[in-house]
Every structure is written in C-alpha cells, then in structure tokens.
Amino acid sequence: MMFGGQSPWQSMRTFSGPRGCRFDRLAALNPSQRMQFEAGMTEYYEWDNEMMQCAGVAACRHMLEPRGLMLPQYNNAPSLMYIVQGRGIMGTVYPGCPETYQSFQQQSETEQAEFPMGGESWRQQMMRDEHQKVHRFKQGDIIALPAGVTYWCYNDGDVPMVSMQVYDASNAANQLVPRERRFFMAGTHKMPQRMFETEQQQTMGMMQPMGQSIFAGFDTQMLAEALGVNVEMARQLQTQNDPRGEMVFVKEGLRMLMPSRSQEMQQQEFEESMPSWQQYGEPMPGMRNVTNGLDEMFCMMKIRSNIDMPSRADYFNQRGSRVAMMNSQKLPIMNVVQMSASRVVLQRNMMITPYWHMNCHSLMYVTGGQGRVQVVNHRGQTVFDGQMRQGQILLIPQNYAVLKRAAENQMFHWVSFMTNPNPMKSQMVGKESVLRATPLQVLMYSYRLSMEQARMLKFRRQHEMTILGPMYQLQMGSNE
C-alpha cells in the first residue's frame, strides 16, 4: 500500500547516532534546562542523552504568556508542535507563496470588531499591509512545521499557552549535523549549556552566551543597502542589545488582517462535516489528484488539526478510553515533515495492547495522570520499567515491544510523536493481532501449550482491539 506516493516501509531518515549505538537502557526524562524570557520561557529536555542522540530527536516545551509573541524563527529539522494548553495565532512563511491576506480588500464589520483600529493613521497603515495566511490554533491541536520554514506564534488568549515541540533532526531535510538548531529572525536567545558543541565551552564556567538573530552577522552597511533602509534601521534589525529574549510582550495586543474567530469556527465546523477526502484535501475516490501547482499543493496546505476531540478517536471503548492518530491520510503535510502523532487517553486500570512500531521511533510525552510503562528489546530484556507522570518523555525505539497501563486510582494520557508520516504498528494481543493471526498448532508448539490453552491464548481478547480492559472484567465474562 502506498501513502502519498511513498511506501510506509521506506524511510527518509538517516542514522544519526554514534557507531555502536544501542538502546540498552532507557529512562523517563524531565526538562533539564529552563530559559526565561520577557513573555515566557522554554524548557529543554536532555539533548546530550545518549538515547535521544541515537534516535536523532530533540524536544522542548514552551510557555507563552497572554499577549506574548514568540519571535520569527526557523529550524534545520522538521517538527511537530502539540498545544497542551491555551490558544493563539501562528504565522508561517513559505518561499514563493503569495500574500493572500491583503488589506486593501474591504474589511467586514466582524473583522473590525475583532481588531478595532484606533484612528485614521492606523486605518491607512492597515490598508497598505498584506501577508501570507495566518492560522488560529487551540488546545489539542497538532501543528506541522517543515524544516527551513519561518514561523511565529502569538498568544491572544487569557491564559498561558503551553506547547510541546519535537524535532526530527535525522530527517533527510536536515543536511547539517544531526542536532536541532533554531535560526532566529529577530531578538536574542540564550543557548542551553548542555547544547554546547565543544568540551572547552562546557568547562569555561562563564555565563551562558547570548545567540543573536541572523541579521546580526551581516555587515551593517551591506545589510542596509540590501534592505533599502538607512544604517540606523539596519542596526535596529540586528538587535544586538535586546534583553527581551525569544518571547516578547505586545502591550497593546497584536493587530493584523485575518478572519474573526467566529468566522474561523464556522469554517472549521463546515470542514468537519465534510467527507474526509474533501476535508483533508485528498482527491475524490476514483479521481486523479490534479492540482494547480505550488499554490494548491503547498501554499494552501493545512498545517494543523485537533487530536483531542473524542469525535476524532480511531479507537474508543465504553469506559471512555480512546486512541486518535494523526498521519498523512488525515493531515497531508505530514508527508512533508515525515512525522506523525497519536493521542491516547486511558481510564483507570486500562491498558494498551502490547505492540511495536515497525517503521519508526516514538517519543511519548505524558500530558496527565500516571501509569506504568515497560519496554523490551530484541534479547527479551527489560530496558525500561517504571511509572511515568505528567511532563515526562520516554523514547521508544523502533521494533522495541512496549506495554502501557493506567494507574488504579487515576487516568493516564499522553501524546506520541513518530518519525514516520504513516507509522505501522504490530499488536501482540486482541483482534488483528499477531497471536490472533497465528495458527493454533504454531502457538501450541511455540509455547508448549495444549490445544485448549492455545485457544484461550488466541481468543481470550478476541473482541478487544488496541484498548484492553482490566482482567477482573474478563473473569466476570464468558470464557471464550
């Protein structure tokens, strides 16, 4: 089967770890470095962790205050961002795409109410502005960001916006060193000490240096000439003495041309009522995928979709546990970033069937509750067995078997980020599992079982898929 013209068995990743890299001992990680800025902070997870380096992935968590602006930047690696809390506006800039939000078009009364303008001078300024599309996002959204694409983010809500961002530095789109690097278009940023690249820098014992925007490295006179501005403005763009950091406050609130929130909610409701092939930009069944070039294929591509809504669940049981997947079939831009995500909510004492991912690594981020996770390698050795809680991450290598269970007294929910746009999962128990698809006599001779035992092993969970109920419920039911 082909997904977006590419077989799920194929990979666009390169091995990034050191020679002899092994996943023999995994650990649940907490943020190890915090960087504070004027309007928020960023927490980094251990990049120097051997397992993260072996997998070629990196992770950080952002907290952006209301009226906070995350300054424009781009990365050397594609990434997925999950909105844990809050809402906001994100802008992405794609080379060659038109500025489709043009302010010389007459504003509706709804738009004027959404962004009131103070005075004629502001009105004239707005009438001269145009920019590429901006996107509203909310809690539960997955946002895909291709490598090298400039993006910015603004919190227009009343509570801090919290997001989890995972980078795939081993993706073929990254031809630099297999580590995440952020390039800033404005402002200054602190570089976490553990991300230094030389031992000398690590042992200097000095204050952490400030990184600058890419404008800062150019000759001021040449930069002014290239931009068509005076030298003083060019120096301002270089922001060499800006203490605000990567996130800054917009005191009067950010104003820009865009549809109102109510209009976008109506559009979103309309899209959700459409068939999936229309909603996600796929061709009608039986029709060729004919596009109008760059404008339709890339510039207008949807970058986000909500994975938290129960109605989006792919697996659901009567106790409220659910699993939702976000792959390239639901969000085609996943084929560009070569990543995907899943959202799992387990009620108390519920389990996820043991499984392994056949074509990708997985990074698990716990969003709430507590549960036990076990991971087993190719030698049948337990490489992780522990309780995980909110805020922790765990790398699960490709083909390693994993078993997850919620605690007896609380729920367990998480988001997983995969390094393939169409992850393939092989389940060990339940409907459509390895055991269910194996002949009875193969099970008998493999595990030295009687026919009755083999039947019980094969059919005991035959009515369950992906989500498994507690064993006491099975004991109360029929012995099928």
Side-chain angles (χ1 to χ4, degrees), residues 300-320:
M300 305 303 293
M301 187 173 287
K302 188 176 178 181
I303 69 167
R304 63 156 189 88
S305 188
N306 196 279
I307 201 172
D308 267 6
M309 299 172 61
S311 61
R312 299 282 182 89
D314 296 284
Y315 302 95
F316 187 87
N317 77 351
Q318 60 183 0
R319 294 188 59 190

Side-chain angles (χ1 to χ4, degrees), residues 329-367:
Q329 304 305 296
K330 295 184 177 181
L331 195 61
I333 196 173
M334 294 297 191
N335 273 326
V336 178
V337 299
Q338 289 292 295
M339 299 178 71
S340 59
S342 67
R343 170 69 163 159
V344 180
V345 175
L346 286 184
Q347 299 296 330
R348 294 180 300 171
N349 219 26
M350 302 289 285
M351 303 176 67
I352 290 292
T353 178
Y355 69 91
W356 65 86
H357 274 119
M358 303 166 63
N359 58 353
C360 62
H361 298 308
S362 173
L363 188 71
M364 175 184 179
Y365 170 69
V366 181
T367 57

Side-chain angles (χ1 to χ4, degrees), residues 67-78:
R67 294 194 177 186
L69 174 66
M70 182 184 293
L71 297 179
Q73 59 187 275
Y74 61 92
N75 306 312
N76 65 324

Side-chain angles (χ1 to χ4, degrees), residues 111-180:
E111 291 172 327
Q112 292 177 7
E114 180 80 7
F115 295 100
M117 296 177 286
E120 188 63 24
S121 60
W122 170 247
R123 184 181 300 276
Q124 292 174 354
Q125 181 181 357
M126 285 291 290
M127 292 298 285
R128 290 195 300 267
D129 192 21
E130 58 183 25
H131 52 79
Q132 289 190 17
K133 182 178 181 179
V134 292
H135 312 263
R136 293 190 187 274
F137 61 81
K138 62 183 180 180
Q139 180 175 325
D141 279 355
I142 289 285
I143 303 173
L145 298 169
V149 170
T150 302
Y151 64 94
W152 52 266
C153 181
Y154 175 70
N155 182 354
D156 68 340
D158 300 324
V159 299
M161 189 278 291
V162 180
S163 63
M164 181 69 179
Q165 191 166 9
V166 174
Y167 308 85
D168 183 8
S170 289
N171 191 285
N174 174 31
Q175 298 187 29
L176 298 177
V177 294
R179 296 192 177 191
E180 173 266 335

Side-chain angles (χ1 to χ4, degrees), residues 137-387:
F137 61 81
K138 62 183 180 180
Q139 180 175 325
D141 279 355
I142 289 285
I143 303 173
L145 298 169
V149 170
T150 302
Y151 64 94
W152 52 266
C153 181
Y154 175 70
N155 182 354
D156 68 340
D158 300 324
V159 299
M161 189 278 291
V162 180
S163 63
M164 181 69 179
Q165 191 166 9
V166 174
Y167 308 85
D168 183 8
S170 289
N171 191 285
N174 174 31
Q175 298 187 29
L176 298 177
V177 294
R179 296 192 177 191
E180 173 266 335
R181 285 182 175 175
R182 300 165 68 194
F183 295 77
F184 288 86
M185 297 288 294
T188 57
H189 63 284
K190 299 177 182 178
M191 294 182 292
Q193 186 172 3
R194 293 187 180 184
M195 295 178 69
F196 287 169
E197 296 182 356
T198 66
E199 293 184 2
Q200 181 180 2
Q201 288 175 310
Q202 292 179 355
T203 57
M204 285 177 63
M206 300 176 62
M207 292 182 62
Q208 298 168 352
M210 298 291 288
Q212 300 175 358
S213 76
I214 57 176
F215 284 122
F218 292 114
D219 175 79
T220 305
Q221 188 69 42
M222 290 184 63
L223 180 62
E225 183 177 355
L227 297 176
V229 299
N230 57 42
V231 173
E232 183 177 348
M233 183 177 291
R235 289 197 183 99
Q236 183 72 20
L237 293 175
Q238 292 177 323
T239 58
Q240 296 182 4
N241 298 314
D242 190 345
R244 299 176 300 170
E246 304 169 14
M247 302 175 185
V248 304
F249 278 117
V250 183
K251 295 182 179 179
E252 302 300 325
L254 196 64
R255 299 177 179 180
M256 72 193 76
L257 184 71
M258 65 181 302
S260 67
R261 183 170 297 277
S262 61
Q263 289 174 321
E264 289 211 355
M265 289 296 293
Q266 292 175 1
Q267 177 65 23
Q268 183 177 348
E269 291 175 359
F270 173 73
E271 289 179 353
E272 291 174 356
S273 67
M274 298 165 58
S276 61
W277 59 268
Q278 290 182 332
Q279 182 181 155
Y280 299 108
E282 299 173 359
M284 181 189 298
M287 299 292 289
R288 293 181 58 194
N289 187 8
V290 180
T291 66
N292 191 26
L294 179 67
D295 182 54
E296 287 190 15
M297 288 185 62
F298 200 77
C299 298
M300 305 303 293
M301 187 173 287
K302 188 176 178 181
I303 69 167
R304 63 156 189 88
S305 188
N306 196 279
I307 201 172
D308 267 6
M309 299 172 61
S311 61
R312 299 282 182 89
D314 296 284
Y315 302 95
F316 187 87
N317 77 351
Q318 60 183 0
R319 294 188 59 190
S321 296
R322 64 182 189 269
V323 178
M325 297 178 292
M326 190 62 63
N327 56 23
S328 70
Q329 304 305 296
K330 295 184 177 181
L331 195 61
I333 196 173
M334 294 297 191
N335 273 326
V336 178
V337 299
Q338 289 292 295
M339 299 178 71
S340 59
S342 67
R343 170 69 163 159
V344 180
V345 175
L346 286 184
Q347 299 296 330
R348 294 180 300 171
N349 219 26
M350 302 289 285
M351 303 176 67
I352 290 292
T353 178
Y355 69 91
W356 65 86
H357 274 119
M358 303 166 63
N359 58 353
C360 62
H361 298 308
S362 173
L363 188 71
M364 175 184 179
Y365 170 69
V366 181
T367 57
Q370 184 173 332
R372 183 180 179 184
V373 179
Q374 293 181 310
V375 184
V376 177
N377 67 7
H378 63 289
R379 295 190 179 93
Q381 299 171 334
T382 304
V383 294
F384 180 82
D385 184 0
Q387 297 287 330

